[in-house]
Amino acid sequence: MPIEFRCGQCGKLLRTADNTAGKQAKCPSCGTVQPVPAVSGGGPLSGTPTRGVFGETPSPPPGQGAFGEIPSAPPIASDNPYASPLSTEPSFEYRTGYAGPRTGPPWERNGPSIASFIETIKLAYSSLGLFFTDMRREGGFGRPLGFSLAGVTFGIIVFSLWQMVFQLITILVGAPAPAFDPARGVGYVVGFALGLVVLVPLFTVLQSFITAAIYHVCLMMLGGAKQPFETTYRVVAYSTGSSAILMLIPFCGQTIYGIVNLVFSAIGLMHAHETSGLKATFAVLLPMFICCGLVIAFYAFVIGVVVMNAR
């Protein structure tokens, strides 16, 4: 049986082989070096030995130290001073679908801030499966929606700045520049500000709820919806906010954002609902197939009517 325990620094649930008990290992999420406990345990490692009822420190079992470490042969020389006697650190595996408490991403666990936003983005792009396995299935719509708004707003601001840069480059290379109209310039700035304050939040809210509703219905049709609608919404919100920052990529940022958002959503649905990857992927792509089919059918109908009338 593998040993499962939580990191004493970041609280992430970790799993390693049973033959690594007592060896020093590094958490792949936060990098903290800590001993692997002898048995599975849900609580974080405190760094101090457990005390008895009267405050005394119990004697360690034969062959073990106070913290459960097993003094064995000296470590083999390695670049890592914390390497185990086997000269390799146990590789942790984040378990999918465990029944323990979910701590959520830094944005939700530590509260909304620039630092927690950056940490959440880093976690999404470095360990996407861990991100959605640890995502809370319930807890309200506010923070996931706030994260989505933050990511989309940032992406749109950067995308707009790129557009200004492209226009400036066009002017510098000799293309005819339009006559500058101060009133038009002020109107553009005011309109852009109002769009960020009113239109972007409104569109993001509508888009997130509608998309989540469609995905959830598709999951139900496929038999993969094992959690409530709120879980699906959280996946959509965190996927949108994480992938929207890709709009900072010039020229093709919007296209890449759309593709990555679909990938994030499919992986998120698979981990959050504990369903198969095939069902999650079909739940994300099925609406696109239906829309494409309707568009093709519409154009076929129009072309057919035109051809018939041409006779």
Side-chain angles (χ1 to χ4, degrees):
M1 291 292 292
I3 298 175
E4 295 177 348
F5 65 101
R6 288 190 177 275
C7 172
Q9 178 66 24
C10 64
K12 299 301 179 184
L13 186 66
L14 309 172
R15 184 170 72 173
T16 183
D18 55 2
N19 60 356
T20 58
K23 299 173 183 176
Q24 295 286 341
K26 183 169 64 175
C27 174
S29 178
C30 64
T32 301
V33 177
Q34 55 200 304
V36 178
V39 294
S40 296
L45 299 173
S46 62
T48 58
T50 304
R51 296 185 178 274
V53 179
F54 300 99
E56 76 280 4
T57 302
S59 301
Q64 292 191 6
F67 295 92
E69 71 274 14
I70 302 175
S72 55
I76 300 176
S78 168
D79 293 336
N80 184 359
Y82 300 100
S84 70
L86 298 178
S87 74
T88 57
E89 299 176 356
S91 59
F92 291 124
E93 178 184 352
Y94 202 82
R95 181 161 60 105
T96 301
Y98 69 92
R102 292 168 174 255
T103 60
W107 174 269
E108 192 161 358
R109 186 171 64 248
N110 303 330
S113 67
I114 296 178
S116 63
F117 178 80
I118 295 175
E119 288 300 317
T120 301
I121 293 294
K122 289 169 57 179
L123 179 61
Y125 283 91
S126 61
S127 303
L128 188 60
L130 183 151
F131 182 98
F132 284 112
T133 302
D134 198 38
M135 184 196 74
R136 296 174 183 172
R137 294 189 175 117
E138 295 178 297
F141 296 90
R143 290 198 175 178
L145 176 58
F147 181 80
S148 180
L149 285 171
V152 170
T153 301
F154 172 80
I156 289 180
I157 291 176
V158 175
F159 176 78
S160 301
L161 291 176
W162 276 123
Q163 297 301 312
M164 295 179 186
V165 171
F166 295 153
Q167 291 181 3
L168 180 60
I169 293 176
T170 302
I171 295 174
L172 293 177
V173 297
F180 177 73
D181 184 357
R184 186 176 179 181
V186 172
Y188 177 80
V189 173
V190 173
F192 181 74
L194 289 176
L196 284 178
V197 175
V198 179
L199 296 181
V200 171
L202 179 61
F203 174 79
T204 302
V205 171
L206 292 177
Q207 181 267 342
S208 61
F209 276 98
I210 293 174
T211 302
I214 294 174
Y215 287 172
H216 197 70
V217 170
C218 291
L219 268 181
M220 293 174 63
M221 293 171 55
L222 297 169
K226 301 180 181 180
Q227 302 298 329
F229 167 76
E230 183 181 344
T231 302
T232 303
Y233 178 82
R234 285 170 160 267
V235 169
V236 171
Y238 281 120
S239 297
T240 301
S242 300
S243 56
I245 66 167
L246 294 175
M247 284 193 282
L248 61 85
I249 301 175
F251 300 109
C252 57
Q254 279 189 316
T255 303
I256 297 176
Y257 153 64
I259 297 173
V260 172
N261 192 13
L262 293 176
V263 175
F264 277 24
S265 297
I267 295 177
L269 293 176
M270 177 182 67
H271 286 281
H273 284 272
E274 298 181 15
T275 187
S276 67
L278 187 61
K279 290 181 179 180
T281 302
F282 268 107
V284 171
L285 297 180
L286 186 59
M288 296 180 58
F289 293 153
I290 294 176
C291 291
C292 291
L294 292 176
V295 170
I296 294 174
F298 173 76
Y299 277 108
F301 174 76
V302 172
I303 293 173
V305 170
V306 172
V307 171
M308 293 297 295
N309 291 335
R311 293 181 178 179

